[in-house]
Amino acid sequence: MKKAVLILGAGSEIARAAAAAWARRGYAIFLAGRDVEDLARSAADLRVRYGVTTDHAVFDAQAEDSGRIITDAVQKIGALSGVLIAFGDNGDQRRAETDDAEALRIMDVNFVRAALMAAAAARYFQPLKTGFIVGISSVAGDRGRQSNYVYGASKGGLSLFLQGLRNRLAREGVHVMTVKPGFVDTAMTFGKPRLFAVAAPAAVGEAIVKAAERRRDVVYVPGFWRSIMTVIGFIPERVFKKLSL
Amino acid sequence: MSKGAAIQRFLTGWGRRVGGIADVERPTAIRALIPQGPSAIARGLGRSYGDAALNTGGRVWLTERLNRILAFDPTTGILQAESGVTLSDVIALGLPHGWFPYVTPGTRHATLGGCIAADVHGKNHHREGGFGEYVEQFTLVLADGKRCACSRTEQAPLFWSTIGGMGLTGFIRDVTIRLRRIETPVIVRQHLPARDLAEMFRYFETPEFDDVYTVAWIDALADEKSLGRGVFMKGHHAARTETPPDRQSLAWQPTAAWTVPFNAPTWLMNPTTIGAFNRLYAWSQARTTAPTFSTLDAFFYPLDRLTQWPRLYGRPGFLQYQCVLPTATAPTALPDILRLFARHRCPSFLAVLKRMGPEGQGLLSFPREGYTLALDIPAKDPSLLPLLERVDEVVVKYAGRVYLAKDCRLKAATFQAMYPRWETWRSVQHMIDPEHRFQSDLSRRLQLTAV
């Protein structure tokens, strides 16, 4: 069977890199995102470099009928082997502290909409008894920090949702993988002061696809973030409160 | 996605002698390309040696994430791509289909936008011209945010102001180039030692020794009686019939690179170590004068094997001086110039001499008919700048010019004497960008845009 992946939030640099890694393996790629003119360019790049079938469509995770993208993609490039949920928005933590609309928007995009897309993908794959759903969460979801807990809470919620979904679908042959990127060299982190080295998106994209092939459950990319987050998890709350993380 | 805002960052030229703080932005989508702020310049992989891709106090756009290939026809070798695509990308895509860049500089870590902005040349300029010859079309994002398609037939003045225009006419967005058909990934190369400059010129000018690619390495520390001593190298893409069957595969196998991990101590580059290197290099390059087979990487990109090699020059960095002199005056001018450097005991690795063909149509393009000499010089020596100004005088006197992509110190008046078409260029540039939204440290230094 021809293999195909639907990428939701395909404008992000991690999504672009993961799409390239799947294309290198011969997968047909359907790119969905907000900037359709730009998606056409990414789609052309995948066709030219890797000789794969591509298509693309405009997609807004917060639109009423966002779930329709799955049937649209199937109509255009055929049965899907997997879905990557890569959209997200860091938002403005400071603003969210005083402006509920901003807090709601961050939680809606990163948790509600991402979880609902995972649910829609699950409804598609479950009767087929095959397929994978990869959701991009974040290390920010592992522990609430004063500097970005609205985003962190929504990503933490997404991690839990994906975990539950993974357990439900495990006996149905559908694999659900949670990706927790650390600092990746993307627009989101560009120029921000950081404690650890940033990873190149290309390496992260390749790591995600490799992990999905191996049917890993939760992957930190780059891998050393698992240790960092373990250490951070051990810091007692009474100490953590005093750190300005 | 949250938009990547501009951040303040200290940027330097490849020679690391000059630098400055700019608001750096790295667009990932084409809609983000709207000139903002007082001034902006695009920067690819930062391989220009001087201040061409610096804009101290202004905005710098990194083009590395605008790197999508938009179309490629393996039957015609026509490729369309965003300007952040590199020659490495082009080779990786083209080579398996038997295509290679028509013109390549000494690194494949250069972007297509940068190759156009500097109208780069290779070892084949004397036969095949510069990079601009193989550019079919490009899209510019102008100062007012409008897009403009330029080619030899549409917006020709803007086309020829952008080729070699140092990125000052607009943001070069999409580029269409023509590639070269090759049968094998092999270069047949031959090295011939030359005792002095006269013998070197003889190699360059005797048809028997000419080839698609010719270049000479010169020992800039040689004394008066052997001035211009070095090794003449020539090569061409091997035909299938010339190549052993086991080397014909066009699969792209880039050579692995080592990284220079940190700044070397400043004393590392001194006349003794460089002199020793030069003798060793001369010996190793001239061990055999018979034709040999070489990989593309080894022939075109020897320095790419050492990532961050400018660190070898330590914190002060280095300067590269590259000038071109007309064939008629080169036999007089080049010894004068080499003598100035030799007398100064100016230690230089890699003094390179190449032949150039007729001038192209790019109004600020560097290449013109004659010989081009390029030297890397450690920047730590304070008497270097007066020396280079004396060399400038010789270059102007003999109707030559200095390469802007390598330069960080030329004076505006000297530049104007070297580039007689600069006024035509400036009138086009001022028409297209009257408020001088596109600027760089180089454009201000040379008074090409607002001062």
Side-chain angles (χ1 to χ4, degrees):
Chain A
M1 196 185 81
K2 206 184 79 181
K3 298 190 271 185
V5 182
L6 166 63
I7 315 271
L8 300 171
S12 94
E13 290 157 273
I14 293 179
R16 260 162 70 170
W22 270 306
R24 210 174 295 126
R25 290 161 168 80
Y27 281 75
I29 308 286
F30 193 98
L31 302 176
R34 281 184 300 195
D35 185 344
V36 75
E37 189 191 7
D38 207 67
L39 290 181
R41 290 171 166 257
S42 294
D45 182 69
L46 297 173
R47 281 197 303 277
V48 173
R49 287 193 207 236
Y50 309 109
V52 295
T53 311
T54 66
D55 209 329
H56 63 278
V58 69
F59 165 74
D60 177 359
Q62 289 178 290
E64 275 306 309
D65 57 347
S66 58
R68 261 192 42 203
I69 191 71
I70 295 177
T71 39
D72 287 356
V74 172
Q75 262 174 17
K76 283 186 176 145
I77 58 163
L80 297 175
S81 334
V83 173
L84 172 70
I85 301 161
F87 59 82
D89 191 333
N90 234 348
D92 183 340
Q93 165 71 28
R94 276 297 180 70
R95 224 180 92 198
E97 288 165 14
T98 53
D99 176 1
D100 284 348
E102 174 67 0
L104 180 62
R105 192 184 67 83
I106 295 172
M107 292 189 274
D108 187 53
V109 175
N110 293 300
F111 174 56
V112 178
R113 301 298 168 165
L116 291 179
M117 286 313 302
R123 283 194 294 276
Y124 169 77
F125 287 119
Q126 198 178 347
L128 305 175
K129 302 276 179 202
T130 178
F132 59 84
I133 301 165
V134 177
I136 299 194
S137 182
S138 170
V139 293
D142 283 11
R143 184 157 193 177
R145 295 185 296 137
Q146 54 179 290
S147 58
N148 74 339
Y149 59 86
V150 181
Y151 174 78
S154 50
K155 285 296 195 183
L158 178 63
S159 295
L160 282 180
F161 188 94
L162 292 171
Q163 188 176 39
L165 189 65
R166 169 164 51 249
N167 283 273
R168 176 164 78 83
L169 296 178
R171 59 214 82 204
E172 308 282 348
V174 181
H175 180 62
V176 179
M177 183 171 96
T178 312
V179 182
K180 296 182 178 178
F183 293 137
V184 184
D185 189 12
T186 64
M188 220 185 240
T189 58
F190 184 61
K192 300 248 171 78
R194 64 231 170 181
L195 282 166
F196 305 101
V198 290
V204 167
E206 180 62 30
I208 290 171
V209 171
K210 214 172 257 166
E213 282 176 336
R214 291 178 188 160
R215 297 176 80 84
R216 299 269 305 274
D217 295 324
V218 180
V219 286
Y220 288 80
V221 283
F224 66 81
W225 277 90
R226 186 181 291 273
S227 326
I228 293 175
M229 294 319 292
T230 306
V231 171
I232 287 179
F234 275 126
I235 301 174
E237 192 72 1
R238 105 190 106 71
V239 178
F240 206 69
K241 278 193 295 190
K242 294 189 180 120
L243 306 173
S244 46
L245 285 169
Chain B
M1 279 277 101
S2 60
K3 278 247 208 54
I7 54 146
Q8 296 229 310
R9 188 181 273 184
F10 182 78
L11 297 172
T12 71
W14 188 238
R16 309 199 312 148
R17 190 181 168 273
V18 287
I21 295 173
D23 291 322
V24 179
E25 213 177 338
R26 187 176 62 188
T28 59
I30 51 166
R31 82 187 125 75
L33 297 173
I34 299 157
Q36 294 165 326
S39 70
I41 194 74
R43 177 181 170 102
L45 291 184
R47 253 51 174 198
S48 52
Y49 288 72
D51 53 4
L54 302 178
N55 188 17
T56 306
R59 189 164 293 244
V60 171
W61 278 324
L62 305 182
T63 66
E64 60 194 70
R65 298 284 159 94
L66 291 172
N67 62 343
R68 288 164 293 191
I69 298 175
L70 303 172
F72 176 60
D73 183 344
T75 59
T76 59
I78 304 280
L79 175 131
Q80 191 195 9
E82 291 177 336
S83 60
V85 162
T86 67
L87 291 179
S88 287
D89 295 329
V90 171
I91 296 167
L93 176 67
L95 189 66
H97 299 281
W99 298 100
F100 191 73
Y102 238 106
V103 169
T104 175
T107 177
R108 52 180 166 78
H109 304 300
T111 63
L112 298 180
C115 288
I116 289 179
D119 191 12
V120 298
H121 59 272
K123 302 173 170 77
N124 55 341
H125 193 277
H126 64 299
R127 283 207 188 182
E128 297 174 323
F131 194 85
E133 292 292 312
Y134 305 94
V135 175
E136 304 264 289
Q137 204 239 11
F138 52 78
T139 314
L140 269 185
V141 180
L142 302 176
D144 59 6
K146 290 205 183 84
R147 298 167 191 181
C148 178
C150 303
S151 68
R152 284 169 182 73
T153 49
E154 316 159 77
Q155 305 285 347
L158 192 49
F159 183 78
W160 293 116
S161 297
T162 303
I163 291 194
M166 305 312 285
L168 297 166
T169 52
F171 185 97
I172 302 169
R173 198 188 69 180
D174 305 335
V175 174
T176 308
I177 58 167
R178 198 148 53 87
L179 303 181
R180 169 203 300 277
R181 218 350 141 210
I182 57 170
E183 290 184 15
T184 71
V186 171
I187 297 287
V188 181
R189 76 194 285 178
Q190 196 176 358
H191 290 187
L192 301 157
R195 280 180 308 255
D196 53 26
L197 203 56
E199 190 172 14
M200 197 63 94
F201 280 131
R202 222 162 26 245
Y203 281 132
F204 273 111
E205 278 161 26
T206 312
E208 183 197 337
F209 295 111
D210 191 31
D211 213 331
V212 177
Y213 302 105
T214 57
V215 61
W217 167 83
I218 284 183
D219 182 354
L221 289 172
D223 54 16
E224 182 61 36
K225 64 178 192 303
S226 47
L227 206 65
R229 169 182 72 194
V231 182
F232 174 81
M233 310 171 184
K234 68 195 205 75
H236 59 267
H237 295 280
R240 223 172 263 123
T241 49
E242 284 179 281
T243 314
D246 63 326
R247 294 194 65 167
Q248 291 186 3
S249 161
L250 287 163
W252 173 229
Q253 293 158 325
T255 311
W258 293 76
T259 300
V260 180
F262 46 76
N263 282 334
T266 314
W267 53 258
L268 181 68
M269 297 296 198
N270 63 57
T272 312
T273 52
I274 292 182
F277 170 86
N278 284 357
R279 280 189 297 279
L280 187 70
Y281 187 77
W283 171 80
S284 71
Q285 292 303 302
R287 261 180 306 175
T288 171
T289 53
T292 53
F293 295 122
S294 174
T295 64
L296 295 165
D297 264 350
F299 186 73
F300 291 108
Y301 314 116
L303 278 174
D304 283 351
R305 296 179 64 178
L306 217 50
T307 309
Q308 295 292 343
W309 60 266
R311 286 178 178 164
L312 289 175
Y313 285 91
R315 276 191 69 84
F318 69 101
L319 276 169
Q320 185 165 88
Y321 190 86
Q322 181 168 1
C323 60
V324 60
L325 292 149
T327 310
T329 62
T332 333
L334 278 174
D336 281 1
I337 291 170
L338 287 172
R339 228 171 263 133
L340 278 172
F341 282 114
R343 237 180 260 152
H344 196 79
R345 294 294 291 162
C346 204
S348 178
F349 271 143
L350 302 172
V352 170
L353 187 66
K354 289 189 295 264
R355 209 175 148 200
M356 294 196 137
E359 188 167 68
Q361 285 175 264
L363 293 172
L364 286 190
S365 285
F366 165 70
R368 55 149 301 152
E369 180 276 328
Y371 285 92
T372 174
L373 176 73
L375 302 101
D376 285 355
I377 313 154
K380 62 187 173 191
D381 181 353
S383 61
L384 194 58
L385 292 181
L387 169 73
L388 294 180
E389 275 171 31
R390 295 229 301 285
V391 179
D392 287 342
E393 285 165 22
V394 179
V395 172
V396 170
K397 184 171 122 194
Y398 291 104
R401 62 172 67 126
V402 162
Y403 192 5
L404 299 184
K406 308 272 175 93
D407 178 54
C408 64
R409 37 145 300 273
L410 207 59
K411 296 212 155 56
T414 323
F415 156 75
Q416 290 169 5
M418 291 173 170
Y419 286 82
R421 295 184 287 187
W422 74 276
E423 275 179 296
T424 317
W425 181 87
R426 203 171 68 164
S427 65
V428 176
Q429 201 271 346
H430 283 203
M431 206 152 59
I432 208 78
D433 183 14
E435 290 167 25
H436 305 298
R437 304 295 286 275
F438 287 95
Q439 288 187 31
S440 60
D441 285 3
L442 176 138
S443 80
R444 288 186 290 268
R445 176 168 57 82
L446 299 178
Q447 296 170 20
L448 282 166
T449 56
V451 187

